Amino acid sequence: DVKVTQSSRYLVKRTGEKVFLECVQDMDHENMFWYRQDPGLGLRLIYFSYDVKMKEKGDIPEGYSVSREKKERFSLILESASTNQTSMYLCASSLDGLDEAFFGQGTRLTVV
Amino acid sequence: GIQVEQSPPDLILQEGANSTLRCNFSDSVNNLQWFHQNPWGQLINLFYIPSGTKQNGRLSATTVATERYSLLYISSSQTTDSGVYFCAVPNSGGYQKVTFGTGTKLQVIP
């Protein structure tokens, strides 16, 4: 069965902390994605990666960075968390750009 | 970029009722997905349907790519169908990017 796993379901961090959100997929997919979801704004793409060590900015990359050292793992990094980064974060993967995408269970991050 | 609109934005159904959700998109697409976001936030794949019709139990979907719309049918709705339904299509400008629709929030009441 297809599986995308995010490291935490709920996370509370303090302003200024460095935050790591981890995502692992077991489907040998080339593409991995990070989205954030906010009420009224829908899902917005932060970053995506189409290969190991490759990354591309999405629509809202400011304040975030990513790391993909291994094919199965894609990390989202908040270098210095701020309250406006309180959100639902969703990781996804797909075999290639036009293929079916699968999502993790989501991480609800609260920055206080 | 491509625009994706869903209707209706909100829907309340009595358990057992049928419904049709619509997804309109502004440009031609070569794939389309339907997702159900459950109350805990997870996006569950329902259909990957670039064209034609697919059925899975009480749910079915039809995409008419030439007319730029897709429909999701829910029959004999159950309370567990509650949540938000999204359609998603690839961006014309970059194949790795996907644009999500605005969503339909469905509440099924007993």
Side-chain angles (χ1 to χ4, degrees):
Chain A
D1 213 10
V2 163
K3 200 106 185 240
V4 180
T5 304
Q6 293 181 228
S7 53
S8 304
R9 201 75 183 259
Y10 299 94
L11 213 50
V12 180
K13 295 291 182 181
R14 294 195 179 277
T15 301
E17 272 193 80
K18 190 168 186 175
V19 181
F20 292 86
L21 302 184
E22 306 285 345
C23 176
V24 177
Q25 51 97 358
D26 65 358
M27 297 163 285
D28 202 32
H29 282 173
E30 302 294 330
N31 293 330
M32 296 188 75
F33 309 82
W34 276 106
Y35 293 86
R36 66 177 280 178
Q37 184 179 23
D38 302 285
L41 297 176
L43 279 89
R44 294 179 291 168
L45 181 64
I46 305 171
Y47 267 97
F48 67 92
S49 168
Y50 52 90
D51 202 351
V52 174
K53 297 192 186 296
M54 306 304 289
K55 60 186 179 185
E56 290 282 345
K57 292 179 180 179
D59 301 315
I60 51 162
E62 297 78 18
Y64 303 94
S65 63
V66 291
S67 172
R68 192 163 181 204
E69 296 296 319
K70 293 186 177 181
K71 192 175 186 180
E72 66 270 19
R73 186 180 297 270
F74 192 35
S75 303
L76 180 69
I77 304 157
L78 286 67
E79 296 289 342
S80 178
S82 63
T83 55
N84 63 13
Q85 292 178 310
T86 291
S87 186
M88 174 69 145
Y89 290 87
L90 293 157
C91 173
S93 74
S94 69
L95 184 59
D96 66 32
L98 300 178
D99 203 20
E100 189 175 7
F102 296 88
F103 281 81
Q105 76 275 31
T107 297
R108 289 194 186 274
L109 172 67
T110 302
V111 182
V112 298
Chain B
I2 193 168
Q3 305 298 315
V4 185
E5 292 185 358
Q6 292 183 240
S7 60
D10 296 279
L11 187 59
I12 300 175
L13 293 178
Q14 200 77 39
E15 199 168 24
N18 302 329
S19 64
T20 301
L21 282 57
R22 186 175 181 105
C23 172
N24 290 332
F25 38 94
S26 60
D27 205 350
S28 59
V29 299
N30 44 26
N31 79 40
L32 183 142
Q33 282 192 254
W34 282 99
F35 295 93
H36 173 216
Q37 188 167 38
N38 64 24
W40 298 271
Q42 183 161 12
L43 281 164
I44 309 294
N45 291 45
L46 296 177
F47 294 101
Y48 175 68
I49 182 166
S51 63
T53 297
K54 289 188 177 179
Q55 178 143 16
N56 184 3
R58 296 180 296 103
L59 274 60
S60 65
T62 295
T63 296
V64 185
T66 53
E67 297 189 21
R68 300 181 185 174
Y69 73 89
S70 183
L71 302 173
L72 178 69
Y73 307 95
I74 304 174
S75 65
S76 304
S77 58
Q78 300 176 359
T79 55
T80 51
D81 295 330
S82 297
V84 183
Y85 289 80
F86 291 99
C87 61
V89 298
N91 249 24
S92 51
Y95 73 87
Q96 291 96 343
K97 294 187 179 183
V98 170
T99 296
F100 283 81
T102 47
T104 292
K105 186 173 182 180
L106 172 64
Q107 185 180 358
V108 180
I109 55 178

